């Protein structure tokens, strides 16, 4: 059912005569042929002859409409002829294109695009600041006994904290193992095996415990918050809350924020302990350190300040994850398909902000110590 | 007056959808909002219920300038209204019972036993007794709408807004829902604002009809008045004139025919 055509030269007028059925399977061939003719300098007019066309469908009409645009914008004549009654009916169903040119819409100037991006991110920033001020108000509201609904905090705490215990423990345990292994190779050369305890202890408590936990929670909980709130937004559940006179921030954001603020430091403490335990296993089994020696060395290496430093960071990370998750969920764009995008955005943004915040912390505390 | 709109422009962000809205809805009446899909019915409803601040003008709900109130005052005002969303908007993670009980639990200090009884009564009123423990995903679309109506009416509001209550329901269920709405109005003296496409529903329900088209209100009146109207959009709706998108512009055929066959043959 191919489009066999004769292109007969009548001075500079070309006649194109497709044969057989003209439909979605072969309309592209006709379009290509017409496209080539439209571009040829020696052709000033084209006629499409339908006398040998049996059945045609809307793709054929579309090709004719497009070709008409092409030829007109090239300043050439374009005609069709010998349409049967059935062909006419198909043409009658299809509205004419309002713009006669082949192009759909003038494409945007790059500067225009850049300007819109800047405006969009500015608007996004404003919305985020709005959310931040609202958050401060609902948190302050708690002191005026405007509590989140009963049971909501516990429910969230279980989802955010308890259910994450396993994965956080496993990953930070492995992290402790890896760190100890890496350190062991180096320290052994100097006979400084025992300092594995210092290295694992301090890096775990100050950096990797808080950071690793935050990254896992961002992946698990940040995405879940964005997906859940995004779905609620799409299904008008958040509007439904408002219509009932309930504040979505108090009802949805507050329990999540409170729960994550409580759970994140707890998870981090556990991560620290498990990571140190990983190091301990390597130290005692692979480096032949005695258990009491390793434990003593760890206790001596760590100060309360290190632990508090790590925990403070974990609270900041918790707020980043919670707020970014809520923001992405509340400000979802594009209906159901937007939920997936919001989820990804929540994870990527919060991990990015966590690492930025962490480097600010580390730089600041190093500078403070030196000064 | 339940609701009054003065020179309101309704829309999203900076995009106006409806202009020059001047409307007054009376107490105890059922008002139908009519208009093609995309004509701004949901937008108008959201503007009336405090969900979408107008770009211009004043909206009064039960005598209060709703968008000027602070959050606590607005919340108190909204307790006197109920909203049935187009797709129900039930909370997916809560059971039917918890969905309907939510406004009671949040806004009243009633004991659970009273709450349970009230929920049961409202469920019976919409013909859904016994579904209390189901999740919204475990009931049909029509049942979800009715649960949403039970939730919207649980605080016995003075006015209920309904966005396409009977869309997508089979005729029997739709008629049942209309009947429930009528009863709310006649038994409790509620005012209702109902978005609907169903001519049957409108004839059965509406005391007054507001018709939207082309970014504005094109007609306001009783069903009888509007069915005699000569305004094109109104006439077309009441007489079921199908729109002709193709002849409204021009079809490819016109161009094809203008070409004149004889010349092309030469
Ligand atoms: N959240 C939104 N943001 C921007 N435009 C919207 C939004 N929701 C709806 N619109 C637009 O407003 C117009 C009216 O929509 P809507 O009120 O939902 O119509 P209806 O309920 O009458 O079908 C439509 O053109 C729609 O594209
Ligand atoms: Mg709608």
């Amino acid at each position: 059912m191919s489009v066999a055509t004769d292109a007969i030269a009548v001075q500079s007028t070309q006649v194109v005569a497709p044969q057989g059925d003209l439909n979605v399977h072969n309309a592209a061939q006709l379009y290509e042929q017409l496209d080539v003719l439209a571009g040829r300098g020696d052709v000033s007019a084209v006629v499409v002859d339908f006398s040998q066309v049996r059945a045609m469908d809307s793709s054929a009409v579309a090709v004719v409409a497009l070709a008409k645009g092409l030829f007109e914008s090239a300043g050439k004549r374009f005609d069709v002829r010998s349409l049967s009654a059935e062909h006419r009916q198909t043409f009658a169903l299809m509205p004419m294109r309002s713009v006669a040119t082949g192009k759909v819409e003038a494409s945007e100037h790059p500067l225009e695009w850049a300007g819109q991006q800047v405006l969009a991110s500015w608007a996004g920033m404003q919305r985020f600041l709005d959310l931040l001020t609202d958050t401060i108000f609902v948190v302050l509201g708690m002191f005026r006994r405007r509590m989140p609904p009963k049971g909501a905090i516990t429910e969230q705490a279980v989802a955010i904290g308890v259910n994450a215990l396993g994965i956080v423990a496993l990953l930070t345990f492995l992290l402790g193992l890896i760190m100890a292994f890496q350190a062991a190779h180096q320290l052994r050369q100097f006979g400084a095996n025992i300092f594995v305890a210092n290295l694992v202890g301090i890096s775990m408590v100050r950096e990797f415990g808080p950071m690793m936990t935050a990254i896992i929670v961002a992946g698990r909980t940040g995405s879940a918050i964005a997906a859940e709130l995004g779905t609620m937004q799409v299904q008008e559940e958040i509007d439904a809350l408002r219509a009932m006179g309930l504040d979505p921030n108090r009802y949805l954001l507050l329990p999540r924020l409170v729960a994550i603020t409580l759970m994140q430091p707890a998870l981090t403490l556990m991560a620290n302990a498990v990571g140190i335990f990983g190091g301990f296993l390597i130290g005692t089994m692979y480096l032949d350190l005695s258990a009491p020696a390793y434990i003593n060395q760890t206790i001596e290496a760590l100060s309360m300040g290190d632990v508090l430093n790590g925990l403070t960071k974990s609270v900041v990370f918790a707020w980043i994850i919670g707020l970014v998750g809520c923001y992405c969920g509340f400000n979802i764009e594009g209906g159901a398909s937007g939920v997936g995008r919001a989820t990804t955005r929540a994870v990527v943004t919060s991990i990015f902000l966590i690492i930025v915040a962490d480097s600010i912390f580390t730089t600041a505390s190093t500078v403070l110590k030196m000064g | 007056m339940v609701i009054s709109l003065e020179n309101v422009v309704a829309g999203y962000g900076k995009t106006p959808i409806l202009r020059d809205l001047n409307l007054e809805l009376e107490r105890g009446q059922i008002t139908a909002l009519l208009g093609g899909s995309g004509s701004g019915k949901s937008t108008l409803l959201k503007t009336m219920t405090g969900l979408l601040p107008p770009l211009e003008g004043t909206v009064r709900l039960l005598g209060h300038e709703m968008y000027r109130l602070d959050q606590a005052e607005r919340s108190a005002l909204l307790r006197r209204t109920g909203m049935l969303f187009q797709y129900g908007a039930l909370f997916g993670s809560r059971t039917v019972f918890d969905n309907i009980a939510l406004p009671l639990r949040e806004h009243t200090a009633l004991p659970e036993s009273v709450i349970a009884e009230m929920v049961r009564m409202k469920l019976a009123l919409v013909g859904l007794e016994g579904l209390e423990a189901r999740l919204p995903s475990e009931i049909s679309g029509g049942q979800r709408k009715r649960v949403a109506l039970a939730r919207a009416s649980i605080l016995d509001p003075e006015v209920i807004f309904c966005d396409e209550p009977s869309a997508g329901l089979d005729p029997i269920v739709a008629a049942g829902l209309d009947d429930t709405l009528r009863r709310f109005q006649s038994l409790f003296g509620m005012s209702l604002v109902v978005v609907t496409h169903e001519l049957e529903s409108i004839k059965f329900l509406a005391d007054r009809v507001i018709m939207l088209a082309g970014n504005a209100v094109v007609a306001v009146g009783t069903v009888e008045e509007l069915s005699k109207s000569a305004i094109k959009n109104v006439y077309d709706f009441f007489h079921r004139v199908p729109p002709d998108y193709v002849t409204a512009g021009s079809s490819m055929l016109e161009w094809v025919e203008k070409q004149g066959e004889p010349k092309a043959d030469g």
Side-chain angles (χ1 to χ4, degrees):
Chain A
M1 220 196 299
S2 72
V3 188
T5 52
D6 309 316
I8 309 154
V10 183
Q11 286 150 2
S12 60
T13 300
Q14 294 271 333
V15 177
V16 179
Q19 294 173 354
D21 292 342
L22 192 54
N23 52 33
V24 286
H25 301 295
N26 53 22
Q29 283 164 263
L30 176 61
Y31 181 64
E32 268 164 37
Q33 196 177 5
L34 292 173
D35 192 22
V36 169
L37 289 174
R40 269 193 20 205
D42 59 336
V43 177
S44 67
V46 164
V47 176
V48 181
D49 187 332
F50 275 77
S51 56
Q52 299 179 64
V53 173
R54 282 203 303 268
M56 63 174 276
D57 68 4
S58 41
S59 66
V61 182
V63 165
V64 169
L66 280 173
K68 174 174 172 288
L70 282 177
F71 281 92
E72 276 171 8
S73 60
K76 298 179 182 180
R77 273 197 64 87
F78 179 71
D79 297 302
V80 296
R81 74 175 180 208
S82 310
L83 292 162
S84 72
E86 285 87 30
H87 296 155
R88 279 166 195 283
Q89 272 174 11
T90 314
F91 273 101
L93 261 179
M94 301 295 155
M96 187 97 94
R97 287 157 63 92
S98 46
V99 190
T101 61
K103 286 212 180 91
V104 176
E105 221 172 51
S107 65
E108 213 170 51
H109 191 273
L111 268 182
E112 219 171 293
W113 178 83
Q116 273 168 5
Q117 293 300 308
V118 171
L119 283 182
S121 51
W122 171 240
M125 190 88 102
Q126 276 179 323
R127 280 203 300 273
F128 190 76
L129 288 179
D130 282 347
L131 184 74
L132 210 56
T133 40
D134 287 350
T135 306
I136 292 168
F137 274 109
V138 287
V139 170
L140 289 179
M142 284 209 301
F143 298 105
R144 288 185 292 130
R145 312 236 316 281
R146 306 266 310 140
M147 285 300 185
K150 243 187 293 167
I153 293 182
T154 329
E155 189 184 318
Q156 291 300 324
V158 170
I160 295 170
V162 180
N163 295 346
L165 281 175
I167 182 78
V168 172
L170 177 65
L171 290 183
T172 45
F173 172 72
L174 292 176
L175 189 67
L177 283 185
I178 295 165
M179 262 196 305
F181 257 124
Q182 291 296 335
H185 276 296
Q186 310 297 320
L187 293 173
R188 236 186 199 167
Q189 297 172 15
F190 308 104
N193 287 359
I194 188 68
F195 289 104
V196 169
N198 297 46
L199 192 137
V200 172
I202 293 185
S203 357
M204 224 38 229
V205 165
R206 287 188 69 102
E207 287 294 336
F208 293 114
M211 176 84 118
M212 197 67 188
T213 312
I215 288 175
I216 297 167
V217 173
R220 256 190 107 251
T221 305
S223 60
I225 292 177
E228 201 180 348
L229 298 187
T231 309
M232 291 187 75
Q233 180 77 272
V234 170
Q235 298 183 350
E236 298 190 300
E237 292 173 38
I238 292 177
D239 276 345
L241 279 177
R242 281 207 195 95
M244 287 176 198
L246 299 174
D247 177 8
N249 286 327
R250 183 177 71 84
Y251 206 83
L252 299 171
L253 180 144
L254 191 57
R256 284 168 176 77
L257 215 53
V258 171
I260 201 172
T261 311
L262 297 175
M263 286 298 117
Q264 188 79 20
L267 282 174
T268 303
L269 273 181
M270 186 207 59
N272 293 344
V274 174
I276 290 173
F277 177 66
F280 171 83
L281 284 187
I282 297 301
T284 51
M285 291 164 66
Y286 177 73
L287 292 173
D288 304 322
L289 297 169
S290 80
Y294 192 99
I295 294 170
N296 273 338
Q297 188 71 19
T298 304
I299 291 171
E300 258 172 51
L302 288 178
S303 69
M304 201 57 202
D306 293 326
V307 179
L308 286 180
N309 180 299
L311 291 186
T312 312
K313 279 204 270 196
S314 75
V315 172
V316 173
F317 296 163
W319 276 63
I320 290 175
I321 297 167
L323 282 176
V324 169
C326 288
Y327 174 81
C328 293
F330 282 140
N331 292 287
I332 185 170
E333 267 161 26
S337 64
V339 175
R341 257 176 285 136
T343 313
T344 314
R345 200 154 61 105
V347 176
V348 174
T349 311
S350 47
I351 291 181
F352 173 76
L353 290 179
I354 285 165
I355 293 174
V356 170
D358 189 58
S359 38
I360 292 173
F361 253 106
T362 307
T363 315
S365 63
T366 312
V367 170
L368 283 179
K369 233 181 258 168
M370 289 194 308
Chain B
M1 216 58 71
V2 197
I3 300 154
S4 75
L5 275 72
E6 257 173 58
N7 302 320
V8 166
V9 177
Y12 303 88
K14 290 197 180 93
T15 320
I17 305 285
L18 292 164
R19 295 174 186 284
D20 292 328
L21 294 169
N22 285 291
L23 294 169
E24 295 199 328
L25 310 192
E26 275 163 44
R27 256 178 213 275
Q29 283 203 336
I30 299 184
T31 307
L33 277 182
L34 276 184
S37 138
S39 62
K41 303 180 298 292
S42 298
T43 305
L44 178 54
L45 216 55
K46 284 182 193 159
T47 307
M48 288 176 171
T49 47
L51 295 173
L52 187 65
L55 309 190
E56 281 171 40
T58 45
V59 180
R60 277 201 194 77
L61 178 63
L62 300 167
H64 297 273
E65 261 191 56
M66 174 170 42
Y67 292 100
R68 293 269 173 80
L69 301 178
D70 71 26
Q71 203 173 11
E73 290 169 326
R74 200 193 300 183
S75 165
L77 183 62
L78 288 175
R79 270 169 239 178
R80 298 162 62 194
T81 72
M83 169 100 181
L84 169 56
F85 284 84
Q86 192 164 353
Y87 304 102
L90 297 178
F91 302 113
S93 58
R94 306 256 175 264
T95 62
V96 165
F97 181 92
D98 289 341
N99 262 285
I100 304 175
L102 183 74
L104 290 171
R105 287 179 176 153
E106 286 296 321
H107 293 313
T108 72
L110 291 170
E112 270 302 301
S113 54
V114 176
I115 290 180
E117 186 56 22
M118 288 177 73
V119 171
R120 198 194 56 73
M121 277 167 20
K122 277 282 150 61
L123 266 181
L125 199 59
V126 296
L128 287 178
E129 254 177 315
L131 293 185
E132 283 91 339
R134 302 269 189 98
L135 286 172
S137 56
E138 297 165 349
I139 57 179
S140 77
Q143 290 172 331
R144 246 174 266 159
K145 280 260 179 74
R146 283 185 280 162
V147 170
L149 180 60
R151 183 178 72 181
S153 64
I154 194 72
L155 290 170
D156 292 337
E158 294 165 48
V159 46
I160 300 187
F161 300 90
C162 305
D163 201 347
E164 307 202 14
S166 47
L169 305 185
D170 71 65
I172 309 275
V173 175
L177 207 64
D178 286 348
D179 192 55
T180 312
L181 292 177
R182 237 309 159 219
R183 273 198 284 167
F184 276 138
Q185 187 258 348
S186 56
L187 293 180
F188 306 122
M190 284 180 195
S191 317
L192 285 104
V193 183
V194 183
V195 170
T196 178
H197 291 290
E198 307 293 324
L199 208 45
E200 290 301 315
S201 283
I202 295 161
K203 285 179 183 159
F204 176 72
L205 279 177
D207 299 313
R208 212 151 153 262
V209 178
I210 295 174
M211 176 114 193
L212 302 177
N215 298 331
V217 171
V218 287
V220 181
T222 63
V223 176
E224 207 175 329
E225 286 163 6
L226 261 66
S227 56
K228 288 180 196 145
S229 166
I231 301 169
K232 177 163 170 39
N233 292 309
V234 184
Y235 181 91
D236 285 359
F237 182 83
F238 281 90
H239 297 85
R240 295 184 161 273
V241 180
D244 193 337
Y245 298 116
V246 174
T247 50
S250 60
S251 85
M252 282 293 289
L253 183 64
E254 282 175 43
W255 171 74
V256 166
E257 277 177 342
K258 248 185 261 160
Q259 293 195 308
E261 300 228 355
K263 177 188 60 195
D265 270 327

